[in-house]
Amino acid sequence: MSYESLVYRILIASPSDVDEEREVVARVIQDWNDLNSFSKKIVLLPVRWETHTSPTYGVRPQETINRQIVDDCDMLIGFFWTKIGTPTGEELGGTVEEIKRVAKAGKPVMLYFSKRGKDPSEIDLEQLKSLNKFKEEVYSSALVENFNSIVDFRDKLSRQLEMKIRELQDSRQAQDSINFSFIDLKSGKELGENFKVSMDRVEVKEKHTEHLKIDSRVRYPNRIHYHVDEYLSKRNGVPILLGIKSKLSRVISNVNIELLIESSESNALKLQTKTEENSQTLFNFITIIILQMTL
């Protein structure tokens, strides 16, 4: 049975000496999909440079990778053992540049360091030195994880990946859970985030009831006691309805709203607000603000 789902692109970033770990990450992601994708309507897509990039000429190799997969990923899982990778011209290695680029974009980064044993004769000391330099830089600015075996890595990643996906969901819901839109008072339809009003503004410079008699737009010219201020307020007042729509099932309170209201007439804007709690969740509106503008 087909179903709609939200896809998170997860970048797998590492140097060349952790091929086994790269496969573990792909399997853990697939296991998560098998267990959760249908019920949560979320699919995790493992992204790797060797499967998701194409050749490009005339561009720095790492920049090509950045454009094709790094910038579009939703989070990154990075891990190291004894190598830092090949210098890119900007960073110690490609993996390091990817990590910093994703982190700078404000996206989650899960970083792991392997403590597995390795034959000393197979260790590139210059690579190890650069890796240790990167570690010193990272330890002061990030919370990282270490693992002692492939099994340890798989277990930690499986548990922590679930936690990170929850964080991604919470972050996404916080951004997309509330929509603001002006509402047409007659039809009840949404008008979008921008709303323009044009009107025939009535001006009375002197507060005298005779102005009510000579103005043809006054409906009841014989009612001399009708106060000029009240008349102007009714003629020049523009009610505007702002709707706040929630996509969440939980209650949201203390919503702060900033509105930019501009008038073509200087010193002619007076704002009155009225807030109502809407208990009719059938309409998905949790708060209604009525703006009474006198232009």
Side-chain angles (χ1 to χ4, degrees):
M1 181 178 66
S2 63
Y3 59 93
E4 295 184 357
S5 61
L6 176 66
V7 178
Y8 287 121
R9 296 167 56 89
I10 301 181
L11 180 61
I12 302 175
S14 71
S16 60
D17 62 337
V18 283
D19 288 341
E20 192 172 357
E21 284 86 347
R22 291 177 70 83
E23 294 303 320
V24 167
V25 175
R27 288 198 299 270
V28 167
I29 291 176
Q30 185 58 55
D31 289 344
W32 192 96
N33 286 332
D34 293 342
L35 293 172
N36 300 285
S37 62
F38 181 77
S39 61
K40 297 184 177 182
K41 301 300 184 289
I42 297 174
V43 173
L44 308 183
L45 178 65
V47 177
R48 297 186 276 188
W49 72 266
E50 60 266 37
T51 56
H52 289 78
T53 59
S54 59
T56 301
Y57 181 79
V59 181
R60 185 171 62 95
Q62 184 59 49
E63 184 60 31
T64 297
I65 295 175
N66 293 341
R67 295 177 183 178
Q68 292 186 5
I69 61 174
V70 177
D71 293 342
D72 290 335
C73 77
D74 296 292
M75 64 173 289
L76 178 148
I77 299 176
F79 39 95
F80 298 87
W81 189 9
T82 63
K83 290 184 177 181
I84 193 71
T86 304
T88 65
E90 294 190 7
E91 294 292 347
L92 295 171
T95 304
V96 174
E97 183 169 333
E98 291 166 8
I99 290 171
K100 291 185 176 181
R101 194 177 182 101
V102 171
K104 185 177 180 180
K107 301 174 183 178
V109 173
M110 302 175 69
L111 191 54
Y112 297 83
F113 291 106
S114 174
K115 290 189 175 182
R116 292 198 293 147
K118 188 171 185 177
D119 186 343
S121 63
E122 298 179 358
I123 298 177
D124 185 324
L125 296 181
E126 288 299 320
Q127 283 280 308
L128 184 60
K129 181 179 178 181
S130 297
L131 176 60
N132 288 333
K133 180 181 178 181
F134 174 63
K135 283 183 178 181
E136 292 178 2
E137 177 184 346
V138 166
Y139 284 149
S140 62
S141 59
L143 178 63
V144 302
E145 183 65 88
N146 299 303
F147 61 93
N148 299 310
S149 66
I150 293 295
V151 174
D152 185 32
F153 177 56
R154 183 195 63 201
D155 292 344
K156 288 181 176 179
L157 179 61
S158 298
R159 182 179 68 257
Q160 293 162 354
L161 179 62
E162 174 64 27
M163 298 167 60
K164 194 60 65 175
I165 296 304
R166 291 176 186 174
E167 292 179 12
L168 276 174
Q169 278 299 94
D170 290 342
S171 176
R172 183 181 181 87
Q173 287 181 342
Q175 296 174 1
D176 300 340
S177 60
I178 302 179
N179 289 336
F180 298 85
S181 177
F182 291 104
I183 310 298
D184 188 296
L185 290 171
K186 294 182 179 179
S187 66
K189 295 182 179 180
E190 298 182 28
L191 301 174
E193 297 180 357
N194 297 315
F195 183 54
K196 292 183 179 180
V197 175
S198 59
M199 62 177 296
D200 184 13
R201 185 170 181 266
V202 179
E203 292 189 29
V204 177
K205 295 183 179 180
E206 296 181 5
K207 294 183 179 181
H208 194 279
T209 55
E210 290 299 316
H211 288 285
L212 300 180
K213 293 182 178 181
I214 64 176
D215 194 323
S216 61
R217 288 170 293 186
V218 179
R219 292 185 178 181
Y220 306 103
N222 295 327
R223 295 180 60 183
I224 305 302
H225 63 277
Y226 197 93
H227 197 274
V228 174
D229 287 342
E230 186 176 354
Y231 160 67
L232 292 178
S233 178
K234 287 184 177 295
R235 293 297 304 179
N236 296 342
V238 181
I240 297 177
L241 187 66
L242 176 64
I244 306 176
K245 182 184 291 185
S246 174
K247 297 181 181 179
L248 299 178
S249 58
R250 62 178 184 267
V251 176
I252 300 177
S253 61
N254 298 325
V255 178
N256 296 319
I257 303 171
E258 292 186 4
L259 296 175
L260 176 61
I261 303 176
E262 296 179 330
S263 172
S264 59
E265 299 290 336
S266 60
N267 301 321
L269 186 63
K270 180 181 179 182
L271 182 66
Q272 296 176 344
T273 63
K274 180 181 180 183
T275 303
E276 298 178 354
E277 291 295 332
N278 185 354
S279 60
Q280 301 297 323
T281 56
L282 178 65
F283 299 102
N284 289 328
F285 287 103
I286 59 170
T287 304
I288 294 179
I289 294 182
I290 300 175
L291 305 178
Q292 185 71 37
M293 296 196 306
T294 302
L295 301 175

